[in-house]
Amino acid sequence: MSDVESGPASNAHEYTVSELSGAVKRAIEDEFGYVRVRGEVGRLTRPGSGHLYFDLKDDKSVLAAVAWKGTAARWRFQPEQGLEVIATGRLTTFPGQSKYQIIVENVEPAGVGALMALLEERRKKLAAEGLFDEARKQEIPYLPRVIGVVTSPTGAVIRDIIHRLEDRFPTHVIVWPVRVQGESCAPEVAAAVEGLNMLEPGGPIARPDLIIVARGGGSVEDLWGFNEEEVVRAISESEIPVISAVGHETDVTLADFAADKRAPTPTGAAEMAVPVRGELIAYVDNLGSRQRNGLRNIYRALRDRLRAASRGLPRPGEILSDVRQRVDLLTSRLGAALGKALNAKQVRAANSLGRLNGILLRRRVADGQTQVTRLSARLAPALSRTLDQRSRHLDQIWKLANSLSHKNVLARGFALVTDADGALVRNAASVTAGDQVNLEWADGERSAVIAGDAPPKPQPRPKRSAEPDERQQDLF
Amino acid sequence: MAEKAGSDIAGMSFEAALAELEDIVAKLESGQAPLQESIAIFERGEALKKHCEALLKSAESKIEKITLSKDGSPTGTAPLDE
C-alpha cells in the first residue's frame, strides 16, 4: 500500500520551489492574461515609488492589486476605498512571497450608482463642514475687469468662453492651464484656483476679480476630478468669486456646489460673467436722459409754482401805497377827532359847571321874566299900530276901486242899457222890437221900449254896435 | 464740493457708479428733492454717467495664458494660441 502510495510519488517530477513557482506563474499568466474583475476597493496605498497598491475584495475573498505609476496617472478615474469597481488587467504571481496579484491596467466604477453613492456621501461630509453654505457665496462682480479661467488651454471650452465674452463685453482674460481629467486634474485645478487668489493686485500678472472653472461634458468618471475634496476646498475658500461650468447641465459636481455660481455650460459661464456692453451703453445713455428730464421737470414745476405764487402776491408799491393812504386818512381824522373830543369835553365841563352854579341859573330865570314883562308891554301898541296900517291900506284900495267903477263913465255922459231882467245888453242884436229895456245915466234911470228892428245888413251893424260894446267891455 | 464728488468717482467700480446713478435718476424723477439738492445730485449724476461711459468704452479684449514653472507656480503670461 505504502509502495503503491509512494511509488507514483517517487516517479513524479520533482520541482524546485522556483521551478514550481515559475510553472504556476506561467500557468496563471497564460490563463488570466486579460481579465475583468469586479470588487470593492479595500485598503489602498500609494508609496513614494508612485505605484498604487490596493485590495479588491468581495464578501469571501481578497485579491491584491497593483497599478504601476505610469498607468495610474493616465486614469481619468482614481479608485477610492469602499468604491465598487471593475478592474481590468492581467494576473501574475509574486514568487518571492507566494502571492498572486492583478496588475491593473484600468479601473472603472462598477456602475454610476456606486459612484453616485460615493459622491453623495462626500457631498454630505463637506456640506456638514459648511463648504456649500449659502452664507459663503459671494456676489459675482457686475463688470469684472479681469477674468481668470481655469481650464484646458486647448479645446472648445476656452474658445467658447472667449468668443462669448467678446460678443458681450470684451474683457481681459487670463487662462490658467490645467488638465481637466486624469489623476493630476484635481491637484492642478486646486492649485490654479489658489494660485489666482495669490496674485497681488498691481503685480506683473493681473489679479482677476472673477474666476471661471470650466470643463466640457463627459462621463461621471471624466468629471471626477471636480468632485475631489481639494478642488472643492480651493473653490470654497477662494476670495475671488468663482463660477463653475463643469460638464453639461445635467452633470453636477461638488465643484459646482462649492462655487458662488454654477453655469450650465462654459458659454453660460461667460454670459453670467459679463453683461452685454451694447445694452449697458444704451442703459447708461437712457439714465442720462432720464436724469436730465427729471431735473427739467423739477425746474418746470418750481417755476410754475413760483408763477402761481407771484400772481397772488401784491406788488410792494401796492402794499406801501395802501399803507400810506391809511396813514393819510388816519392823520386827517386825528385832528378832527381831537377837536371833537375837546369840544365834547368843553361842553361837558360847561354843563357840569352850570349845574354846579345855582346863582347863575337863578339869574337866567330872572332875566327871562324881565324879558317877558318887557315884551308884554310892547304887545298892545304894536297890535293897534298894525290895525291902523291895515285900515289905511283898505281905504286906498277902495278909492282905487271907485275910480275904476262904471259910475264914473256914466258921469262922462254914457248910459247903461239893461233888459227886463236887469242883465246888461251888450249888443243891438240881442234885443228885438218891443223889448222893454232900462237905461241908466249918472243921475238916474228911465224905462224904454225898442222901436225898430235891426238894420237889414247884419254885418256892419254888429261892427258899429260892437264898438261901444267893446269899449264898455274894455272899461271893465 | 463738485471737485470732491468727482475725485471719488474716478476710483469707483462700474457697478457702484451705475447703482448711484440709478439712485440719482430715481430721486430726480420723483421730484421730491429741493432744487438746490437736485442740481447738485444732477451734476454728480452727470459725472457718474461719464465715468460709466468711459469704463464701457475703454473695455478691450486681451487674452493671456499663464506660464508655469516646474513646481507649478506662475512665472508670467504668454499669448494664448487658440
Side-chain angles (χ1 to χ4, degrees):
Chain A
M1 287 277 289
S2 68
D3 281 342
V4 173
E5 284 181 347
S6 62
S10 60
N11 286 335
H13 179 72
E14 188 181 284
Y15 291 96
T16 64
V17 173
S18 289
E19 281 171 349
L20 184 57
S21 294
V24 167
K25 187 178 179 76
R26 276 191 302 278
I28 288 180
E29 287 184 350
D30 288 350
E31 183 68 22
F32 303 103
Y34 177 82
V35 291
R36 296 183 78 222
V37 57
R38 180 182 182 133
E40 188 190 318
V41 178
R43 190 179 49 86
L44 186 144
T45 57
R46 198 190 294 262
S49 65
H51 307 315
L52 183 65
Y53 299 93
F54 57 99
D55 290 338
L56 284 172
K57 58 183 185 180
D58 59 16
D59 52 346
K60 293 187 187 75
S61 309
V62 175
L63 174 65
V66 58
W68 308 125
K69 182 183 175 184
T71 308
R74 288 198 305 273
W75 291 346
R76 50 185 192 178
F77 167 73
Q78 297 298 314
E80 289 174 36
Q81 190 168 344
L83 186 66
E84 183 137 346
V85 297
I86 296 167
T88 310
R90 57 191 170 90
L91 284 189
T92 185
T93 62
F94 184 50
Q97 285 187 357
S98 183
K99 280 186 173 175
Y100 70 96
Q101 61 189 5
I102 180 169
I103 309 294
V104 181
E105 295 297 329
N106 195 19
V107 172
E108 299 163 43
V112 171
L115 203 56
M116 296 316 281
L118 178 76
L119 185 62
E120 180 59 18
E121 194 181 315
R122 188 180 294 168
R123 190 191 66 76
K124 278 181 182 158
K125 180 191 148 206
L126 296 176
E129 273 187 53
L131 295 186
F132 307 144
D133 284 359
E134 279 303 312
R136 291 183 74 110
K137 305 290 183 203
Q138 301 182 75
E139 281 286 316
I140 301 298
Y142 188 76
L143 191 61
R145 294 175 193 211
V146 181
I147 299 175
V149 181
V150 176
T151 191
S152 165
T154 58
V157 170
I158 186 65
R159 276 207 313 276
D160 287 351
I161 290 175
I162 288 170
H163 288 164
R164 187 50 61 98
L165 286 178
E166 289 192 345
D167 284 349
R168 291 170 68 86
F169 203 108
T171 313
H172 186 179
V173 174
I174 294 179
V175 181
W176 187 300
V178 293
R179 271 169 281 198
V180 291
Q181 71 184 56
E183 193 186 5
S184 58
C185 168
E188 283 185 20
V189 170
V193 172
E194 284 159 9
L196 287 171
N197 271 280
M198 285 191 297
L199 292 174
E200 297 288 337
I205 303 172
R207 178 184 163 92
D209 40 23
L210 177 67
I211 293 174
I212 296 175
V213 175
R215 192 210 187 282
S219 67
V220 178
E221 298 91 325
D222 287 342
L223 305 181
W224 195 254
F226 295 89
N227 289 320
E228 296 292 358
E229 203 170 315
E230 56 188 323
V231 171
V232 171
R233 288 193 189 280
I235 290 175
S236 179
E237 284 160 15
S238 174
E239 285 172 14
I240 301 169
V242 177
I243 297 177
S244 73
V246 178
H248 296 300
E249 186 159 14
T250 48
D251 304 325
V252 180
T253 63
L254 296 185
D256 292 326
F257 285 107
D260 298 300
K261 270 249 166 36
R262 187 205 166 208
T265 59
T267 302
E271 287 172 359
M272 260 177 206
V274 295
V276 177
R277 179 161 72 157
E279 286 174 11
L280 276 184
I281 289 173
Y283 181 55
V284 168
D285 195 53
N286 173 254
L287 286 178
S289 43
R290 276 170 64 192
Q291 77 156 351
R292 278 193 294 282
N293 286 339
L295 185 66
R296 194 175 300 136
N297 289 340
I298 290 173
Y299 166 70
R300 279 182 184 156
L302 288 175
R303 188 190 59 193
D304 291 349
R305 276 174 60 195
L306 180 62
R307 279 179 181 167
S310 303
R311 273 197 289 277
L313 197 68
R315 274 174 292 149
E318 281 176 4
I319 299 174
L320 270 186
S321 68
D322 193 40
V323 171
R324 202 174 292 131
Q325 204 171 347
R326 280 181 62 201
V327 169
D328 289 346
L329 181 68
L330 290 174
T331 309
S332 67
R333 279 171 58 190
L334 184 62
L338 272 177
K340 219 163 110 184
L342 193 59
N343 279 346
K345 300 276 183 194
Q346 280 173 338
V347 168
R348 278 181 63 196
N351 284 349
S352 306
L353 214 60
R355 274 200 300 277
L356 280 176
N357 196 337
I359 298 166
L360 198 65
L361 271 179
R362 274 194 295 280
R363 191 184 296 155
R364 284 176 71 185
V365 171
D367 285 352
Q369 281 172 341
T370 316
Q371 209 167 8
V372 166
T373 316
R374 200 168 62 234
L375 289 175
S376 302
R378 284 165 58 190
L379 186 58
L383 198 57
S384 64
R385 213 162 39 240
T386 304
L387 281 176
D388 286 351
Q389 281 172 355
R390 296 287 157 90
S391 143
R392 271 198 302 278
H393 191 57
L394 192 59
D395 286 349
Q396 284 167 359
I397 289 172
W398 189 245
K399 274 178 191 154
L400 183 61
N402 277 342
S403 72
L404 297 174
S405 166
H406 69 279
K407 305 264 188 212
N408 290 333
V409 178
L410 294 182
R412 293 205 329 255
F414 289 92
L416 186 70
V417 181
T418 55
D419 64 9
D421 300 328
L424 196 64
V425 179
R426 290 178 183 271
N427 45 46
S430 61
V431 290
T432 54
D435 280 357
Q436 188 80 36
V437 296
N438 191 49
L439 306 173
E440 186 187 347
W441 291 266
D443 60 340
E445 296 178 16
R446 295 288 290 275
S447 324
V449 175
I450 297 302
D453 286 329
K457 283 178 168 176
Q459 229 30 23
R461 219 177 62 184
K463 206 175 182 181
R464 264 186 294 165
S465 65
E467 281 179 15
D469 281 348
E470 279 170 7
R471 208 180 288 158
Q472 279 186 335
Q473 207 166 19
D474 280 349
L475 285 175
F476 285 95
Chain B
M1 193 180 115
E3 273 180 26
K4 238 183 173 178
S7 67
D8 80 290
I9 288 173
M12 275 173 101
S13 73
F14 176 85
E15 200 179 347
L18 187 70
E20 194 181 335
L21 178 58
E22 283 173 330
D23 281 354
I24 285 174
V25 168
K27 238 183 215 170
L28 287 175
E29 285 185 334
S30 78
Q32 296 303 308
L35 185 61
Q36 192 75 33
E37 193 195 330
S38 296
I39 292 170
I41 64 175
F42 170 78
E43 282 169 356
R44 185 167 172 83
E46 285 289 293
L48 289 165
K49 180 186 163 241
K50 279 208 184 80
H51 182 59
C52 288
E53 285 172 342
L55 287 176
L56 289 175
K57 279 171 187 156
S58 71
E60 55 180 311
S61 175
K62 185 179 178 188
I63 315 294
E64 292 177 303
K65 183 177 83 173
I66 284 179
T67 52
L68 297 169
S69 67
K70 288 265 180 208
D71 67 348
S73 58
T75 54
T77 59
L80 177 79
D81 23 273
E82 283 185 61

